Amino acid sequence: MKHQNALIGVMDPNSYSFRVAFEKLLAFANPKIKYKKKSYNVTSRRITTRPYDILHAECPYKAIINRGAHWNPHHNSFFMTIGYQTYLLNDMITFEAINKNTSYGHMYKLGLNIPKTIALPQQSYDKLKKDNKAIPELIFSEHEFFSIEEIGEEVGYPAFLKPQSGGGWVGVVKVDNPEELLTAYNKSGSKPMNLQKAIDYREFVRTVGVGPQMMPMHYNASAEHSHDRYMRNEFESVELNFLTAEEEDEIKKICKIINSFYGWDHNSCESLIGHDNIIYPIDFANAYPDSTLTSLHFHFPDLVKNMAKWLIFCAVTEKKRSYNFARNWPRYFAIAEDGSLSYKEKLDKYTEIADEYFETKKFEEFCSKYLTSFDEKAYEFFASEEFFNIIDREVDYYFSIPSERPEKKQHYRGIHHYWLSLEEKKLGRETN
């Protein structure tokens, strides 16, 4: 039987560890799959920036990792030109159309517990005023005066003022009173903002989804450095089973529902578990979720494995993306409007639509039949010196002060050894 090459294109120009770990894991596992009377070799190739013939653009890829195309218009136009021929992990159509404010409104309508949020127009129009094609008296005649103090009182304090779009906590300010809100809004510049009620929480959870696979992680928003935010605390890298079974089930369903609603294969959802035991999603429109080793540490290998399994499935089954991303919205909103259903019952029905969208059952059957040895091969890769070299190289990239690097390498290697020890138990590889 002749082997066909199921080629996965890789585009992630800003993340060394994720991109390289994915490529090397796939090469190490070297999947050869017989599926529906065809035999596939699954390989990867990096997508480079180069000229292409717009009228005759060809797509050699069965699936594409698309991370960061919103920062690279040249790649984005190529992907959208050939997207119908492949499976594009995250197209930019929905990420351009949907921002935080839009998604808050939609998910609230579905019954999710979104905190009180009010959208605010941009504070500064300096850029617009400098545009010689703009006529200020026409533009500003459409704007109404409003009281930022009254809005603050309506939302309540403490609250967070944050940009309508963006990431990495850039531009996010906590405000505790009208004076702080006014000061922060006056400094916010030319981006539309929102003001969202702060939640008194006992647990901050960040869930990263890849296809139907949801991975909740504890998150420490108070950590001084962004790379320490997935640390449980200053002295503990990870706490296993930090959620109850019920909390984990709801957290995973929320992220899967959001991702399927918008057609997002790789997206993260931040949720707060309040002292009232209610789960509040607070940020879930993330076109480029943090996937670096220095941030995710213990969780990094599982994310890479999830990505590999999902794209192997997409490439071999020749899965295609639907570009009518709102086609299931009427089904979701019909459930939302059914007053006979409880919150939990609605989540279950939404999840049925989400699993249908992601073909979850088909994916799980594919993995159990065709990727039976993948976890073993992945363990061998992540236990290899080649992966430890990736850890060292990522530390060199991320930490700019050379004197910091030896301690950081020891730190990340130590966390990874802990992951390996747990993986050994899971696979039954423990030795006496």
Side-chain angles (χ1 to χ4, degrees), residues 172-214:
V172 178
V173 181
K174 184 181 180 183
V175 293
D176 292 307
N177 52 59
E179 292 75 23
E180 291 181 1
L181 172 57
L182 180 61
T183 299
Y185 183 63
N186 285 338
K187 292 180 179 179
S188 62
S190 59
K191 277 193 172 184
M193 307 292 285
N194 67 63
L195 185 68
Q196 187 171 81
K197 173 69 176 174
I199 299 298
D200 184 18
Y201 66 90
R202 61 176 174 81
E203 196 67 72
F204 194 139
V205 187
R206 196 161 206 239
T207 305
V208 174
V210 179
Q213 305 161 102
M214 302 294 128

Side-chain angles (χ1 to χ4, degrees), residues 22-31 42 44:
F22 174 86
E23 292 170 333
K24 290 186 177 295
L25 170 61
L26 197 65
F28 185 89
N30 191 24
V42 186
S44 72

Side-chain angles (χ1 to χ4, degrees), residues 258-325:
I258 291 168
N259 289 5
S260 66
F261 187 87
Y262 295 115
W264 296 339
D265 290 77
H266 189 205
N267 183 57
S268 65
C269 174
E270 295 177 4
S271 299
L272 304 177
I273 304 178
H275 292 288
D276 54 8
N277 294 322
I278 294 174
I279 296 177
Y280 299 90
I282 60 163
D283 192 348
F284 41 83
N286 298 303
Y288 194 27
D290 188 352
S291 301
T292 61
L293 186 150
T294 46
S295 292
L296 301 190
H297 52 81
F298 176 87
H299 310 284
F300 180 79
D302 288 314
L303 177 64
V304 177
K305 284 171 57 180
N306 287 353
M307 183 65 73
K309 288 178 180 179
W310 178 240
L311 288 188
I312 291 170
F313 166 73
C314 293
V316 170
T317 63
E318 301 192 30
K319 183 176 173 63
K320 295 292 188 293
R321 169 179 292 283
S322 168
Y323 285 94
N324 181 8
F325 79 91

Side-chain angles (χ1 to χ4, degrees), residues 14-47:
N14 301 302
S15 178
Y16 167 78
S17 56
F18 180 81
R19 178 182 66 197
V20 173
F22 174 86
E23 292 170 333
K24 290 186 177 295
L25 170 61
L26 197 65
F28 185 89
N30 191 24
K32 298 182 185 299
I33 298 170
K34 294 180 181 179
Y35 180 78
K36 290 189 175 180
K37 299 182 179 180
K38 293 182 181 179
S39 187
Y40 295 89
N41 291 335
V42 186
T43 61
S44 72
R45 188 170 79 198
R46 196 168 299 178
I47 299 175

Side-chain angles (χ1 to χ4, degrees), residues 24 28 379-392 413 416-417 420:
K24 290 186 177 295
F28 185 89
Y379 169 84
E380 292 172 12
F381 167 72
F382 285 114
S384 70
E385 192 59 32
E386 187 167 31
F387 181 73
F388 280 95
N389 289 337
I390 292 174
I391 294 176
D392 292 347
R413 280 174 167 250
H416 185 60
H417 276 296
L420 288 171

